Amino acid sequence: MNRVLWVLKFLVLGILVMVVIGLVTQGLWNWLVPVLFAGPVITFWQALGLLLLSKILFSGFHKSGHRGQHKPGWGYYWTQKWKGMSPEEREKLKQKMKEKWCYPESKPKESSDTISQ
């Protein structure tokens, strides 16, 4: 009996959350879009459809959960790459990055003699 009651509570809470999120989406859309962009007013069901469409387009459906299971990003890549470099390779990379992204500390000034000639 406890398990059935827990499932029922979870189901009611899930439906309630979906209704609230749908109503908030509908309200925000109908408040902003018609005024700002001369767009249409939408219904509650269209708001839920819009949420589902945005979920599909922007995050997709993953078989595994999101928490802690992302692929490592560029920071992890460069950390591993840096650890695998020799000190000479590290210095070479530092110099290359300085040349590409940093302003030179002091540019050699051309003399006025070479400009006037």
Side-chain angles (χ1 to χ4, degrees):
M1 184 68 179
N2 255 349
R3 188 176 193 109
V4 173
L5 189 59
W6 183 85
V7 169
L8 186 61
K9 284 181 182 180
F10 183 76
L11 187 63
V12 169
L13 183 63
I15 291 171
L16 183 64
V17 166
M18 282 184 55
V19 168
V20 168
I21 291 174
L23 288 172
V24 167
T25 302
Q26 179 189 7
L28 285 172
W29 179 282
N30 290 338
W31 176 45
L32 294 172
V33 172
V35 175
L36 295 175
F37 307 112
V41 174
I42 63 172
T43 66
F44 171 75
W45 297 109
Q46 289 171 327
L48 286 181
L50 187 65
L51 285 170
L52 180 62
L53 180 63
S54 64
K55 167 72 175 152
I56 292 169
L57 292 177
F58 296 120
S59 66
F61 295 105
H62 304 285
K63 289 184 180 181
S64 62
H66 291 293
R67 297 182 186 107
Q69 297 180 6
H70 286 299
K71 292 181 181 177
W74 61 269
Y76 178 79
Y77 168 78
W78 282 106
T79 301
Q80 295 304 313
K81 187 171 179 77
W82 187 262
K83 286 180 181 178
M85 289 181 173
S86 68
E88 294 83 22
E89 291 173 325
R90 289 180 186 175
E91 195 57 42
K92 188 177 177 182
L93 179 64
K94 281 183 189 179
Q95 188 61 36
K96 187 176 178 182
M97 289 296 125
K98 281 182 183 178
E99 289 171 4
K100 184 170 184 167
W101 298 107
C102 299
Y103 290 110
E105 293 176 13
S106 62
K107 289 185 177 180
K109 295 183 179 180
E110 296 180 11
S111 67
S112 59
D113 296 336
T114 59
I115 295 174
S116 61
Q117 293 179 2

